Amino acid sequence: MSLRLATFNVENLMNRFDFSGFRNQLNQDRTLALFDIKTEAEYRVLEQARAIAHSDDTRQLTALAIAATRADIICMQEVDNVEALKAFEYGYLFKMVGQGYRQKYTTAGNDSRGIDVALMMRDETAHGQPIEFVRMTSHAHVTFEQFGLHTPELAALGQEPHERIFRRDCLEIDLKIGGAPLTLYLVHFKSMGSPRNGLDGRAATMPVRIAEAQAVRRIIEERFGKDHAADKHWAICGDMNDYRQRTLIDGDAHTGYRFDVVDESQSCLNVLLAGGFCENVVERRPELDRWTLYHTRGPQERHLCQLDYILLSKGLAAQNASSVPDIIRSGQPFRTPFPPGQEVDRFPRAGWDRPKASDHCPVAVTFDII
């Protein structure tokens, strides 16, 4: 029986307003920065109007991207709560796919902004096999000390042994697909952030993501047994905020873009992929065609990279050696430079920078569960 599984960071699917930008300019939307706003009351009114106007186009594009995955199950990141998910599914996605993702699951994690991992799934696969929810287990409470993962590098970042490992959660969801067991691990690792202590944001926050990856692997090994875990039916899905390769971009639209693939010596992904524990099936695509995000801080710092992953257990990957994932890029804004041959028709109303479906692209793969 086959299942189509997807993951997508939907970028701030919120059902509340963020007024912190009045006191913290780093959180202020650039539109409001154009205006001289005298009072917090005035700011709140304008922020509500801006957010509502901006959200409608954005969520239409988000829904189009999800519909394009044709997924039976979609793992999501940056979801405010289940009520936000229900409102989005009913108000936007339903208009495109009809009665589809009736089952929705999430739980409050550790993120300071309240953005969590979540899951939506159909009652049955496209081939008519029932999808049954069995149980859901949060691991948001696990500390560095509990798992013996506290290191001097973490201490240097101000992380204490008693603090929680996961920036959001590692949400473990047990399912049955046509009666066959499948376990999903939904994650959203620590973001890279800004440069600090003489290091770029990625290097400075790497110890946290490595600890998160180590914790995920330990949870799986303890669940299935260290000697047998790789052969069981499970997948790790989510935004890991890290990459093993990136494609550096040079040039411009007038002179032409140049793309150069660079391997990274260190990545938290290596913890999970070591020893063939699982496989990043996106690496079955050509090197230039694995990216799920365009990063830029201006013309001097631009690259494409994979931040969004479906890692299949060694057993599942071996059983589906010919399965190649799809990456849905039609929701990207027009500022994103595409390598030659990868250009797509953008969804209606996609803008130069925004609106867009998300800053990330959904990843989807079809595989058999034997």
Side-chain angles (χ1 to χ4, degrees):
M1 67 196 72
S2 67
L3 174 76
R4 188 155 177 87
L5 176 66
T7 186
F8 188 21
N9 182 327
V10 293
E11 192 180 12
N12 297 326
L13 180 57
M14 313 288 273
N15 66 351
R16 55 193 161 90
F17 299 105
D18 180 5
F19 301 117
S20 63
F22 180 73
R23 303 185 185 282
N24 184 352
Q25 289 187 344
L26 294 176
N27 296 340
Q28 186 177 112
D29 185 83
R30 60 180 182 247
T31 304
L32 296 189
L34 293 171
F35 298 92
D36 182 19
I37 302 171
K38 300 296 186 183
T39 67
E40 185 168 359
E42 183 183 4
Y43 180 86
R44 283 174 174 263
V45 171
L46 293 172
E47 171 58 24
Q48 289 177 64
R50 183 208 65 80
I52 291 170
H54 176 65
S55 293
D56 184 54
D57 277 343
T58 296
R59 294 314 162 197
Q60 288 188 63
L61 294 169
T62 304
L64 282 167
I66 291 174
T69 68
R70 299 175 289 107
D72 302 314
I73 299 173
I74 182 159
C75 305
M76 306 170 74
Q77 301 86 50
E78 297 200 13
V79 173
D80 201 356
N81 50 49
V82 75
E83 295 305 319
L85 196 54
K86 287 179 179 177
F88 165 72
E89 190 270 338
Y90 179 76
Y92 291 88
L93 194 56
F94 178 83
K95 297 179 181 298
M96 298 171 191
V97 301
Q99 295 182 358
Y101 300 97
R102 293 182 174 181
Q103 302 186 63
K104 305 172 186 69
Y105 302 95
T106 187
T107 188
N110 299 322
D111 187 88
S112 59
R113 293 195 295 129
I115 53 172
D116 300 313
V117 296
L119 180 141
M120 290 197 305
M121 64 186 195
R122 301 179 183 275
D123 291 331
E124 59 181 33
T125 69
H127 298 283
Q129 298 292 333
I131 303 174
E132 178 186 353
F133 174 85
V134 178
R135 69 173 183 175
M136 178 172 71
T137 305
S138 169
H139 297 280
H141 62 281
V142 176
T143 67
F144 296 110
E145 192 172 44
Q146 281 179 278
F147 275 15
L149 294 177
H150 196 257
T151 63
E153 291 78 12
L154 288 166
L157 291 174
Q159 299 292 312
E160 300 291 340
H162 66 270
E163 291 188 276
R164 297 179 175 187
I165 298 173
F166 295 111
R167 302 300 90 174
R168 285 91 184 181
D169 199 351
C170 172
L171 189 59
E172 181 178 3
I173 298 183
D174 289 305
L175 308 169
K176 287 187 178 178
I177 313 298
L182 175 68
T183 302
L184 300 179
Y185 294 90
L186 281 59
V187 299
H188 185 184
F189 285 179
K190 167 70 177 174
S191 61
M192 297 184 199
S194 303
R196 67 187 75 176
N197 300 329
L199 300 172
D200 62 41
R202 178 173 179 262
T205 54
M206 183 67 73
V208 178
R209 286 189 299 279
I210 287 176
E212 288 181 296
Q214 290 171 328
V216 172
R217 182 158 182 164
R218 173 167 169 168
I219 288 166
I220 296 172
E221 290 178 338
E222 288 187 349
R223 166 71 187 278
F224 296 109
K226 190 170 184 178
D227 295 333
H228 306 287
D231 298 321
K232 301 299 183 180
H233 289 171
W234 50 264
I236 306 167
C237 303
D239 173 5
M240 298 189 185
N241 271 312
D242 206 354
Y243 45 79
R244 300 215 298 167
Q245 288 180 327
R246 57 178 172 154
T247 300
L248 302 180
I249 301 170
D250 196 9
D252 55 44
H254 300 289
T255 62
Y257 290 107
R258 294 175 295 281
F259 301 89
D260 184 27
V261 176
V262 176
D263 293 326
E264 299 293 333
S265 60
Q266 186 180 34
S267 170
C268 73
L269 273 300
N270 296 339
V271 172
L272 295 166
L273 300 174
F277 184 65
C278 56
E279 182 183 341
N280 173 20
V281 289
V282 168
E283 291 185 0
R284 295 176 179 180
R285 297 172 65 93
E287 285 188 328
L288 273 177
D289 200 13
R290 297 172 181 171
W291 62 274
T292 66
L293 179 131
Y294 170 50
H295 167 83
T296 179
R297 294 184 186 274
Q300 304 306 314
E301 185 180 339
R302 296 173 297 170
H303 67 253
L304 301 168
C305 62
Q306 182 191 0
L307 295 188
D308 305 274
Y309 296 84
I310 296 177
L311 306 180
L312 296 184
S313 69
K314 178 182 178 181
L316 269 182
Q319 292 170 11
N320 295 273
S322 62
S323 294
V324 178
D326 298 307
I327 300 174
I328 312 302
R329 300 186 178 122
S330 297
Q332 283 287 292
F334 282 88
R335 68 182 175 90
T336 303
F338 283 52
Q342 295 182 26
E343 295 84 358
V344 296
D345 292 330
R346 303 306 209 278
F347 294 137
R349 294 182 65 82
W352 180 83
D353 178 55
R354 64 184 188 187
K356 57 183 182 294
S358 169
D359 49 350
H360 295 249
C361 300
V363 178
V365 64
T366 301
F367 59 92
D368 293 325
I369 304 174
I370 302 172

